[in-house]
Amino acid sequence: MCIHDANDNFCVQSLVKMICVYSRWHALKGCRMFHKNLFFLVTGMFVTGGLVTAPSLIAMAGTNTWTLEAVVQRTMEIAPEIRTAEAEIAARAGELTQAGAWPNPTVDLGADDSLGQEDGSGGTELTQITLSQPLPLRRLARQRAAARANLESARENRRYQRLLLESEASRVFRALQHTEARVALARSRLDLAEGFGRPEPGGKARDPLVRYLTPLERIRLAVLREEARQAVMVAEKDYQKALAEFRSLLALSADTAVQTAPLDLAAPPPELAGHEQNLEAHPLLASARREVEAARAGVAVAESQRFADPELNLFRERDYLNGERRDVTGVGISFQIPLWNQNRGPVAKARAEALRARAQVELRQRDMLTSLRQSYAELARVIEQARRTRDNLLEPARQVFDLTRRGFTSGELNLLALVDANNTHFEAQSRYLDLLKEAHLAGAELRLAAGISLLEEREVQP
């Protein structure tokens, strides 16, 4: 049974044999960190050599592995930004409800002693009741239109907030993957550096001749090993920092075990033309258009509010007519005369805000199209560079490193050749890991610029 990669075929038996040799080697050295080193070595083989896929790693480890989709889902469930966006939507919904509400009527009561004086009975009595109702003839419909546009804008802002959170979750997740892979690579480099100039693991050397090391070569090898140890320390520091940020984002406890899927090469993006056609549905642009609608409705609202609403008045009065008390019922209407103030300032302000909203849409269209094209070009470039690095640099550097180690052990090559091959090999591996991370981050930027969600329109309850 074989596990296939894009370039080579590796058998399971070979992998098991390599692990066994590594185990005997560390058993002879008495290394206390054998199990941890073995885990990072195998993880590094998965990342840099592509031996097995993420499902195989899960099956072998027997633990749950975080994927980007799972990280995004978890982030959406606990992020306070989503609750803030939901609260904004609730506030806009309340404004929409209030925008269609009629103003309350008012009741005026009047009492005097006019009746008592007329009939000589004296005293004070209720003589007048007036009910006044403001009439918002055109204002309510315009207010509802503005409030409805504001509500839709808040909903689009929530969609955009989710895209921002997805981008942030992707950044944190890829940083953890990258640092974990660099730890595995650094440990692999240290293990190889520890073996330079020493017998082959397994007890008996293949060649009866022993490579003689000059004092200068021994010092240089010691420096090489110390550089490898320092690289492990730096990689572990970066990993712990990324792990702390990952746990904080997902609200995980400090003792929660975290394992991520191996870092792989990002998939090539679809055609740019398709992204440009779908750019009109981007939530940031849709929100700006809703703001234009709200601003236009705001102009109509300002025009309807130039003068106070007319009021319908119903009244009932009690008076003394023809020698007896009588009740009089009447109706009236009151309205404002725009003699001194015509309230043109609010209308001018609303029109200026509408112009600004339209200009903001054009500005967002320009900036978003530029960002989309830049993100697309960056992703395509990084993917191509990563492929070239994998195909034209990783394997040749590994072959040169293997041949140089053999030549150094047999005395055919000097230490400078070994150091150069060692540095070239691991620098190529490190550069490839950096390119993998850059490709995924560029993919996240492209999804954000194109308005594409990993959750595929699934609703996430905050």
Side-chain angles (χ1 to χ4, degrees):
M1 174 181 175
C2 292
I3 304 173
H4 298 281
D5 186 70
N7 300 322
D8 304 293
N9 295 328
F10 296 92
C11 294
V12 175
Q13 292 83 354
S14 300
L15 176 60
V16 174
K17 182 178 180 181
M18 293 170 61
I19 296 176
C20 291
V21 171
Y22 184 81
S23 303
R24 291 196 299 269
W25 184 10
H26 277 275
L28 289 175
K29 294 170 59 179
C31 181
R32 298 180 180 178
M33 299 296 294
F34 160 67
H35 296 289
K36 188 174 182 180
N37 289 347
L38 178 60
F39 168 76
F40 279 112
L41 176 60
V42 174
T43 305
M45 294 165 63
F46 293 159
V47 174
T48 58
L51 296 182
V52 295
T53 60
S56 300
L57 178 61
I58 297 173
M60 292 173 62
T63 59
N64 293 328
T65 300
W66 284 98
T67 63
L68 179 58
E69 289 76 11
V71 172
V72 170
Q73 182 73 25
R74 170 69 176 171
T75 303
M76 296 299 173
E77 292 172 354
I78 65 173
E81 292 87 347
I82 296 298
R83 295 195 296 272
T84 301
E86 294 289 349
E88 181 68 19
I89 292 176
R92 295 292 175 261
E95 291 179 355
L96 176 58
T97 301
Q98 185 62 30
W102 272 61
N104 293 321
T106 59
V107 176
D108 294 330
L109 302 176
D112 54 42
D113 59 351
S114 61
L115 296 179
Q117 292 181 11
E118 289 288 344
D119 59 10
S121 61
T124 301
E125 298 182 27
L126 182 66
T127 59
Q128 184 181 31
I129 300 177
T130 304
L131 177 66
S132 300
Q133 174 61 56
L135 303 177
L137 300 180
R138 298 181 300 170
R139 180 169 56 85
L140 292 186
R142 298 177 179 183
Q143 287 181 171
R144 284 196 299 267
R148 189 176 298 107
N150 285 328
L151 175 60
E152 294 301 323
S153 177
R155 289 172 176 167
E156 296 296 339
N157 283 330
R158 177 182 59 181
R159 289 182 54 208
Y160 182 64
Q161 188 63 50
R162 288 180 175 176
L163 292 177
L164 289 176
L165 285 174
E166 286 188 18
S167 180
E168 176 64 11
S170 178
R171 182 192 66 81
V172 174
F173 176 71
R174 299 306 180 186
L176 183 61
Q177 282 186 309
H178 178 254
T179 54
E180 185 176 352
R182 290 188 69 91
V183 169
L185 182 63
R187 290 188 175 277
S188 175
R189 180 175 188 172
L190 176 59
D191 291 334
L192 289 173
E194 293 285 355
F196 289 154
R198 296 177 179 175
E200 293 283 342
K204 194 174 182 180
R206 298 178 181 176
D207 196 330
L209 296 178
V210 178
R211 173 72 158 88
Y212 173 74
L213 298 178
T214 65
L216 179 61
E217 289 178 330
R218 293 182 183 276
I219 295 175
R220 186 62 184 92
L221 284 177
V223 172
L224 190 65
R225 295 187 188 103
E226 184 57 31
E227 288 177 345
R229 295 188 189 98
Q230 294 290 333
V232 171
M233 295 173 62
V234 172
E236 289 181 343
K237 180 198 69 174
D238 294 339
Y239 173 73
Q240 292 299 326
K241 181 179 178 181
L243 181 60
E245 186 177 13
F246 181 84
R247 286 171 172 164
S248 176
L249 178 66
L250 302 188
L252 303 176
S253 61
D255 57 349
T256 301
V258 175
Q259 182 177 341
T260 62
L263 190 63
D264 56 359
L265 183 59
E271 293 295 331
L272 178 60
H275 287 313
E276 292 182 353
Q277 293 176 357
N278 297 330
L279 192 60
E280 295 298 320
H282 196 288
L284 191 59
L285 194 57
S287 174
R289 287 200 172 92
R290 296 297 185 182
E291 291 175 1
V292 171
E293 295 178 8
R296 289 174 178 172
V299 173
V301 171
E303 291 175 346
S304 66
Q305 291 177 342
R306 287 182 60 189
F307 314 116
D309 295 333
E311 290 188 2
L312 177 66
N313 302 313
L314 300 176
F315 62 89
R316 187 177 180 87
E317 295 181 353
R318 179 169 292 181
D319 202 353
Y320 201 84
L321 299 175
N322 297 327
E324 60 181 353
R325 294 187 179 189
R326 292 188 180 183
D327 294 335
V328 179
T329 303
V331 61
I333 188 170
S334 61
F335 53 87
Q336 187 183 71
I337 299 176
L339 185 59
W340 314 117
N341 183 10
Q342 297 184 356
N343 286 331
R344 292 194 176 123
V347 177
K349 177 183 177 181
R351 288 174 178 170
E353 290 178 349
L355 291 175
R356 182 177 60 183
R358 286 194 292 269
Q360 187 68 24
V361 170
E362 297 177 0
L363 178 62
R364 287 188 180 181
Q365 283 179 323
R366 183 193 67 187
D367 293 345
M368 291 171 61
L369 183 60
T370 301
S371 177
L372 176 63
R373 291 174 177 173
Q374 290 177 344
S375 300
Y376 187 90
E378 176 66 12
L379 177 57
R381 181 196 66 79
V382 175
I383 289 179
E384 177 62 23
Q385 186 176 0
R387 286 176 175 172
R388 292 180 62 88
T389 300
R390 179 192 62 190
D391 299 337
N392 302 331
L393 184 58
L394 288 185
E395 183 60 23
R398 184 190 64 81
Q399 293 177 357
V400 170
F401 183 45
D402 291 342
L403 294 175
T404 304
R405 282 190 298 163
R406 296 172 187 172
F408 175 76
T409 304
S410 63
E412 297 177 2
L413 298 176
N414 58 23
L415 182 60
L416 292 179
L418 177 64
V419 172
D420 181 69
N422 176 81
N423 293 338
T424 301
H425 170 65
F426 284 103
E427 287 174 3
Q429 297 278 5
S430 178
R431 179 55 184 157
Y432 183 62
L433 291 178
D434 293 343
L435 289 173
L436 293 182
K437 177 187 175 183
E438 290 177 15
H440 283 291
L441 293 182
E445 288 294 328
L446 177 61
R447 289 193 300 272
L448 178 61
I452 300 175
S453 173
L454 286 173
L455 300 183
E456 299 177 350
E457 303 296 331
R458 291 182 296 174
E459 285 293 329
V460 180
Q461 297 297 330

